[in-house]
Amino acid sequence: MKIHEYQARDLLGKAGIPVPPATVVDNPEAAGHAFKANGAPLQVVKAQVFAGGRGKAGFVKLVKTADEAVAAAKFMLNNKMVSVQTGPEGIEVNKILIAAAVDIAKEYYVSITLDRNRGTPIVIASAEGGVEIEEVAKKNPDAIIKEPLHPHLGLLPFAGLKVARKIGFTGKQASTVAKLLVNLSKFYMNSDCSMAEINPLVVTKQGEVLAIDAKVQFDDNAVFRHAEIAALKDDSETDILEVRAQKANLNYIKLDGSIACLVNGAGLAMATMDVIKLFGGSPANFLDVGGGVTSDGAKEAFRIILSDPKVKGILVNIFGGIAKCDLIAQALIDAGKEIGFKVPLVVRLEGTNVKEARVLLDNAKTELPTLQTAVDLNDAAKKVVAATN
Ligand code: GDP
Ligand code: MN
């Protein structure tokens, strides 16, 4: 689960990380009032969206007057932001953050995320923070420091100090940064984060250390343990199809290919995507309808995958265990009648009640003219790739 920068700043502030105060507004006039109320001669206006790369996209602006603040807010609220992290379609901005600008001497990068290979969270840090961090990672990976956390104790103070020194801090500033990293690690562990990133962490010309951007994500499977975090959820920023899928208990992730897949079981869904790739296609989504899917759930799944205009074909791959093949076949036929499948549909069913399912599908072929059945997964992938090319 993602949250906005302003929410993350608030949480990090409470966790003992120095974050400058800010105001959040949802209209340009309020941005002007916030500028005047703050009174600082130079302020920063920032779009609040679930994507980074705002600085380069023109959605982080320094302003000197209330009128400039209003204009910047107007621009951000009326234009979709397109950045390296959003894809060409961009995302809408609904909220704006305003804060006194910080006088930056140097920008650093610090984050904690899960290292799946090590099976433990790690600190990632660099003296070359700011908007170019992706470039630094590509061109100069040695400038990025990694330090694993103890899986139960988090980042120990000596390890925090080691990281602070490695990215160039000395003296009192090094212990300030070490403490900040330890606090970040406590926050990460206590809140079940999957990511807690500060980019940039800055040293001001006055020598103060401040977090001026924050990106925090939580492990979806642990959010139920934190009512105060669950309350921060903002569905308006999540892909509308993913929100619908969550409500129907479907695990759906939109991808950018053209072959939609509907599968039961995450492992089988991954394998299905691999086999589509193997035969030269590209998956339009990951979709695991789960073991206990109902007829209504399956219908909603078809509606969701078909609302993606890029979809040129559908592959249904079901191993009927708890969800029986005939239930899926019937849902598919009902959905077909309701929505009307215009794109090729290839179905591979195996498992409980497969015979009954095949009879249902054979009888439905006049109503579903784009339907083909397949004997196994390779056959299904070949057929759907051929039909969409
Ligand atoms: P991002 O591009 O989405 O990561 O947005 P950030 O909040 O990190 O802002 C991008 C860049 O804008 C930062 O790396 C800074 O260089 C600059 N910036 C942000 N806030 C301030 C500020 O208060 N003062 C100054 N001088 N620059 C800022
Ligand atoms: Mn940033």
Side-chain angles (χ1 to χ4, degrees):
M1 178 186 137
K2 294 179 180 176
I3 57 171
H4 287 289
E5 175 196 356
Y6 73 90
Q7 298 169 320
R9 288 168 77 119
D10 190 38
L11 294 178
L12 292 187
K14 287 179 186 148
I17 290 165
V19 181
T23 310
V24 180
V25 298
D26 61 5
N27 66 79
E29 294 66 43
H33 295 311
F35 184 96
K36 284 179 198 148
N38 183 301
L42 187 66
Q43 300 186 26
V44 64
V45 177
K46 309 175 78 176
Q48 299 297 288
V49 283
F50 286 171
R54 294 168 302 170
K56 285 193 160 180
F59 282 69
V60 172
K61 277 196 182 133
L62 292 172
V63 294
K64 292 197 196 79
T65 63
D67 286 346
E68 281 180 21
V70 171
K74 211 177 259 175
F75 169 80
M76 292 177 197
L77 291 166
N78 291 336
N79 290 282
K80 282 193 170 178
M81 183 187 98
V82 179
S83 84
V84 282
Q85 294 188 14
T86 62
E89 65 277 12
I91 42 175
E92 212 170 277
V93 180
N94 299 314
K95 288 195 181 94
I96 301 284
L97 177 145
I98 300 174
V102 168
D103 212 357
I104 302 174
K106 184 162 169 55
E107 303 192 18
Y108 296 81
Y109 175 95
V110 301
S111 73
I112 300 180
T113 190
L114 181 66
D115 183 332
R116 291 174 195 277
N117 292 330
R118 288 179 211 252
T120 180
I122 52 165
V123 175
I124 302 175
S126 178
E128 296 182 34
V131 296
E132 298 291 347
I133 190 70
E134 279 96 352
E135 286 299 301
V136 175
K138 260 188 247 157
K139 293 188 179 144
N140 188 13
D142 289 345
I144 298 191
I145 273 103
K146 292 183 181 168
E147 178 72 24
L149 266 66
H150 187 287
H152 297 134
L153 303 176
L155 188 75
L156 294 166
F158 81 91
L161 195 57
K162 190 166 101 187
V163 174
R165 292 215 168 107
K166 275 195 185 165
I167 57 173
F169 287 100
T170 54
K172 197 166 167 291
Q173 250 174 18
S175 42
T176 305
V177 172
K179 206 167 142 206
L180 181 151
L181 290 171
V182 169
N183 287 344
L184 188 64
S185 114
K186 282 183 189 155
F187 168 74
Y188 180 98
M189 311 279 284
N190 293 340
S191 314
D192 291 310
C193 292
S194 53
M195 153 95 138
E197 179 191 79
I198 301 172
N199 184 34
L201 176 72
V202 302
V203 174
T204 66
K205 298 212 169 110
Q206 297 74 36
E208 221 182 336
V209 176
L210 292 173
I212 65 164
D213 185 18
K215 186 177 284 172
V216 169
Q217 290 176 23
F218 302 98
D219 179 347
D220 284 327
N221 292 323
V223 170
F224 78 96
R225 299 205 291 195
H226 310 277
E228 71 295 354
I229 290 168
L232 300 176
K233 196 161 198 279
D234 179 3
D235 277 345
S236 72
E237 291 284 327
T238 312
D239 187 293
I240 187 86
L241 294 179
E242 290 184 11
V243 174
R244 273 178 61 187
Q246 269 173 19
K247 292 201 172 124
N249 267 327
L250 304 163
N251 287 311
Y252 170 83
I253 295 166
K254 194 161 170 283
L255 301 168
D256 52 15
S258 61
I259 299 178
C261 24
L262 185 153
V263 189
N264 65 333
L268 192 59
M270 299 292 277
T272 304
M273 292 178 2
D274 284 349
V275 177
I276 290 172
K277 272 270 184 206
L278 185 68
F279 289 105
S282 71
N285 65 276
F286 168 93
L287 173 58
D288 163 21
V289 296
V293 68
T294 61
S295 170
D296 283 344
K299 270 195 256 176
E300 176 70 349
F302 280 112
R303 281 188 217 106
I304 290 169
I305 56 183
L306 285 167
S307 355
D308 174 357
K310 282 192 203 144
V311 167
K312 300 274 180 294
I314 308 172
L315 197 170
V316 174
N317 184 22
I318 299 290
F319 185 82
I322 304 168
K324 298 188 177 58
C325 291
D326 54 339
L327 178 143
I328 299 286
Q330 192 56 53
L332 193 154
I333 294 162
D334 293 348
K337 283 186 196 159
E338 190 188 309
I339 313 163
F341 291 142
K342 291 180 189 69
V343 295
L345 168 71
V346 179
V347 181
R348 180 255 175 170
L349 295 169
E350 206 53 75
T352 312
N353 292 1
V354 69
K355 280 191 191 128
E356 291 85 340
R358 289 202 178 123
V359 172
L360 284 171
L361 289 178
D362 283 341
N363 292 339
K365 275 189 176 160
T366 44
E367 285 161 296
L368 301 175
T370 66
L371 171 71
Q372 298 180 62
T373 47
V375 291
D376 59 31
L377 180 49
N378 281 358
D379 182 40
K382 277 186 208 158
K383 280 183 175 151
V384 76
V385 171
T388 50
N389 276 343

